[in-house]
């Protein structure tokens, strides 16, 4: 056995086994060994910690790698979505631009419509105010006319009373004269001159005595159609109880209207006035006919020329085109513009008279032939109204029927255009009819 084993004891105090004294080198080596052991332990612990940390970091690295991969995939998806959104934004931008243009056009159209509506409202208000003012003027004029007519009616009643008394006296004298004359002198022997005789009797002229037969012929009984006389008797009897608006429901008046009045008021192929309206005005005694002066005719012709000229086109501040309302108003004004010539038949020629169906209507200018037609119908309806009023109650039915035939014959001559000639043959002024 080696002696060193005796010197180095196994005790931990690093002393000599022989002398029990501490061995410095051994103690230092033990201290160094202990220090190294501690460092080794610490190194092992640090290594384990580092390994654990390395493992943790490796795990975190894997997790981060996976997360990076996921983020890359998400980023790719987002890029795709971003590109899609960019495309959608581009499309929406184009649509937005289109919508802006459409909105601008709609705004422009809206402003145009608002301007037209404003102009239309202003025009309508102006027309409404004008209509109200015209109505007020017409009402005032109508009131003045009514007062004037009341005075004329009072005067007419006085004159009618005087004329009635004179007619009664004249009738009695004529009956005495007719009774004193032979039958051959009471009727015309020449049928071609029968119309002149009737007109002469209508105007109070005695032309029967001038038409003596060349030779005496045997007298023959001349009868009148009994049915026509019966219809006339029914008219005379029932006219007072029938309203004037329904007077044409009687057989006599219905036949007169169809056979004489309507043909007399039918002014050519293109009439400018309704025959029915004229008949209603004449029947209700609201139709006025008077002679037109030269100044009135000139003023009327000037109004016609002015109305037939189209108005100048107006310029809008927003557009050079006329507004819709102005175009429609211009077309309507051109359509409603009065035409020249006679306002009943449309013929061009001298306008000598004017008429209106009622006081609310404007005056219409006519020529002499159309005036003769209107006056002939007016005189027939004056006869009808006098019968309704009972002014002819003392006259015989045959006498009244003969006068109705003469008035119907006058309407025939008037619509045939030969009434002035027939009156001239009798030596009667053409203006005497209707006066």
């Amino acid at each position: 056995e080696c002696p060193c084993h005796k010197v180095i004891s196994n005790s931990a105090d690093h002393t000599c086994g022989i002398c029990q004294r501490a061995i410095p080198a051994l103690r230092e080596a033990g201290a160094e060994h202990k220090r190294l052991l501690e460092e080794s332990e610490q190194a092992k612990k640090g290594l384990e910690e580092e390994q654990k940390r390395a493992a943790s970091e490796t795990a975190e690295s894997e997790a981060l790698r996976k997360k990076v991969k996921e983020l890359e995939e998400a980023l790719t998806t987002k890029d795709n979505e971003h590109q899609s959104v960019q495309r959608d934004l581009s499309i929406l931008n184009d649509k937005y631009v289109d919508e802006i243009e459409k909105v601008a056009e709609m705004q422009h159209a809206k402003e145009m419509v608002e301007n037209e509506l404003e102009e239309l409202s202003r025009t309508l208000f102006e027309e409404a105010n004008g209509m109200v003012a015209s109505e007020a003027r017409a009402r005032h004029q109508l009131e003045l006319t009514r007062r004037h007519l009341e005075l004329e009616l009072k005067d007419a009643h006085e004159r009618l009373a005087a004329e009635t008394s004179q007619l009664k006296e004249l009738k009695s004298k004529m009956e005495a004269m007719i009774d004193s004359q032979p039958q051959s002198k009471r009727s015309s022997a020449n049928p071609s001159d029968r119309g002149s005789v009737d007109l002469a009797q209508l105007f109070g002229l005695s032309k029967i005595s001038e038409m003596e037969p060349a030779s005496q012929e045997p007298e023959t009984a001349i009868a009148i159609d009994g049915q026509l006389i019966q219809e006339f008797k029914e008219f005379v009897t029932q006219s007072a109880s029938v309203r004037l608006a329904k007077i044409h429901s009687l057989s006599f008046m219905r036949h007169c209207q169809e056979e004489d009045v309507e043909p007399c008021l039918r002014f050519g192929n293109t009439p400018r006035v309704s025959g029915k309206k004229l008949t209603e005005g004449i029947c209700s005694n609201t139709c006025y006919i008077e002679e037109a002066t030269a100044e009135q005719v000139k003023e009327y012709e000037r109004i016609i020329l002015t109305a037939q000229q189209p108005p100048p086109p107006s310029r809008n501040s927003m557009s050079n085109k006329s507004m819709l309302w102005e175009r429609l108003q211009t077309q309507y004004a051109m359509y409603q513009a009065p035409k020249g010539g006679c306002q009943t038949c449309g013929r061009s020629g001298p306008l000598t008279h004017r008429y209106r169906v009622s006081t609310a209507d404007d005056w219409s200018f006519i020529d002499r032939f159309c005036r003769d037609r209107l006056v002939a119908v007016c005189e027939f309806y004056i006869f009808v109204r006098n019968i309704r009023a009972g002014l002819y109650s003392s006259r015989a039915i045959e006498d009244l029927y003969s006068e109705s035939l003469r008035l119907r014959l006058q309407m025939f001559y008037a619509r045939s255009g030969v009434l002035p000639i027939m009156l001239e043959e009798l030596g009667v002024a053409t203006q005497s009819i209707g006066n």
Side-chain angles (χ1 to χ4, degrees), residues 51 59 262 307 324-325:
Q51 289 178 350
E262 289 182 355
L324 178 61
W325 169 255

Side-chain angles (χ1 to χ4, degrees), residues 124-150:
L124 288 177
F125 277 116
E126 291 178 356
E127 291 186 356
N129 293 332
M131 291 174 64
V132 170
S134 300
E135 182 66 21
R137 288 193 298 269
R139 192 183 302 110
H140 178 68
Q141 184 66 28
L142 186 61
E143 181 65 22
L144 295 178
T145 306
R146 184 186 65 82
R147 295 177 182 176
H148 179 67
L149 290 178
E150 285 179 353

Side-chain angles (χ1 to χ4, degrees), residues 230-386:
Q230 184 62 31
E231 288 182 355
F232 185 74
K233 287 181 179 179
E234 292 177 356
F235 160 70
V236 174
T237 305
Q238 301 175 7
S239 60
S241 60
V242 178
R243 290 191 300 112
L244 194 60
K246 299 292 184 181
I247 195 69
H248 297 98
S249 61
L250 301 177
S251 299
F252 174 76
M253 288 300 300
R254 183 170 63 252
H255 293 158
C256 291
Q257 183 183 21
E258 294 174 355
E259 297 169 4
D260 299 296
V261 175
E262 289 182 355
C264 192
L265 297 180
R266 190 180 299 122
F267 299 96
N269 297 325
T270 57
R272 295 183 179 179
V273 65
S274 171
K276 181 178 179 181
K277 183 179 179 182
L278 283 175
T279 304
E280 292 175 354
I282 294 174
C283 183
S284 59
N285 199 21
T286 60
C287 183
Y288 298 89
I289 306 170
E290 65 179 25
E291 187 175 0
T293 62
E295 291 76 10
Q296 292 172 345
V297 175
K298 290 181 180 179
E299 179 65 18
Y300 177 72
E301 292 177 349
R302 186 190 63 79
I303 293 174
I304 292 294
L305 292 176
T306 304
Q308 290 179 349
Q309 293 179 359
S314 60
R315 297 184 175 274
N316 194 348
S317 59
M318 299 180 64
S319 174
N320 290 329
K321 297 181 179 179
S322 299
M323 292 187 294
L324 178 61
W325 169 255
E326 293 179 350
R327 294 198 300 270
L328 293 176
Q329 194 175 25
T330 301
Q331 294 175 1
Y332 181 75
M334 292 296 295
Y335 175 76
Q336 290 292 108
K339 309 299 187 299
C342 179
Q343 294 303 301
T344 53
C345 63
R347 294 178 301 185
S348 59
L351 304 177
T352 58
H353 294 78
R354 64 177 187 172
Y355 82 98
R356 60 182 179 184
V357 180
S358 65
T359 56
D361 297 336
D362 295 330
W363 288 103
S364 299
F365 289 77
I366 54 177
D367 57 18
R368 57 174 295 185
F369 297 103
C370 293
R371 178 259 181 191
D372 291 345
R373 289 188 176 208
L374 293 177
V375 172
V377 177
C378 288
E379 288 198 340
F380 175 75
Y381 277 97
I382 290 174
F383 174 74
V384 171
R385 287 193 297 272
N386 289 340

Side-chain angles (χ1 to χ4, degrees), residues 46-63:
L47 181 60
E48 291 177 355
E49 292 177 357
E50 291 296 331
Q51 289 178 350
K52 290 179 180 181
R53 188 168 58 238
S56 175
E57 290 178 355
T58 303
E60 290 179 358
S61 177
E62 290 294 331

